[in-house]
Amino acid sequence: MRILIVEDEILVAMELEETLNDLGHTVVGIAPDRRTFEAFAAEEIDVALVDLNLRDGETGVDIGRALADRRAAVIFVTANPGLLRDGVAGTIGVLPKPATRKAVADVVEYAGRRSPLLSPPGELRLFA
């Protein structure tokens, strides 16, 4: 799968990138803010892992919506999952930070398959 990481903490982003590469996925890039995200507008993205608070503020929700509009499977990855109480239309759910490598692997696999027949990973809180 082709995956975009939207994360401003470089060490967290690099760890996610390493995990995803080890799983055989292609990381199309790391976007720490909205401006950098826009540089990936023409890229084909299957799954996006999106933090809420980025370098330019709380722009993660808007970026998540934009990615969902482009047909990407969006999972928010944040230390503040409570901020997404009612969820975000078009997105899948939220994975709380810190997340283990296994949790990231399971969530990406689930998001990439987009099948209602699959059970969601335990760490993932689905949106209604």
Side-chain angles (χ1 to χ4, degrees):
M1 284 182 273
R2 295 177 53 79
I3 302 173
L4 177 65
I5 299 169
V6 182
E7 171 64 64
D8 65 329
E9 294 181 42
I10 193 62
L11 294 178
V12 172
M14 289 172 59
E15 185 175 331
L16 284 170
E17 181 178 36
E18 180 182 345
T19 296
L20 296 168
N21 286 332
D22 288 350
L23 293 167
H25 300 296
T26 300
V27 175
V28 298
I30 297 171
D33 54 37
R34 177 175 277 290
R35 194 184 96 226
T36 307
F37 158 71
E38 292 299 332
F40 296 103
E43 292 285 337
E44 180 182 327
I45 298 167
D46 300 310
V47 176
L49 301 177
V50 182
D51 192 8
L52 296 180
N53 296 304
L54 302 171
R55 189 165 53 193
D56 55 353
E58 294 180 7
T59 57
V61 169
D62 291 336
I63 290 171
R65 278 192 197 104
L67 285 160
D69 287 346
R70 296 177 192 176
R71 314 276 298 152
V74 177
I75 301 290
F76 290 98
V77 183
T78 179
N80 300 302
L83 295 175
L84 296 168
R85 280 173 258 194
D86 299 327
V88 177
T91 65
I92 295 172
V94 61
L95 177 66
K97 282 184 190 175
T100 65
R101 289 173 67 96
K102 180 171 178 4
V104 170
D106 291 347
V107 164
V108 166
E109 182 70 19
Y110 176 81
R113 291 186 185 228
R114 299 186 198 196
S115 171
L117 301 177
L118 288 177
S119 295
E123 300 89 344
L124 179 64
R125 189 188 89 197
L126 293 179
F127 297 145

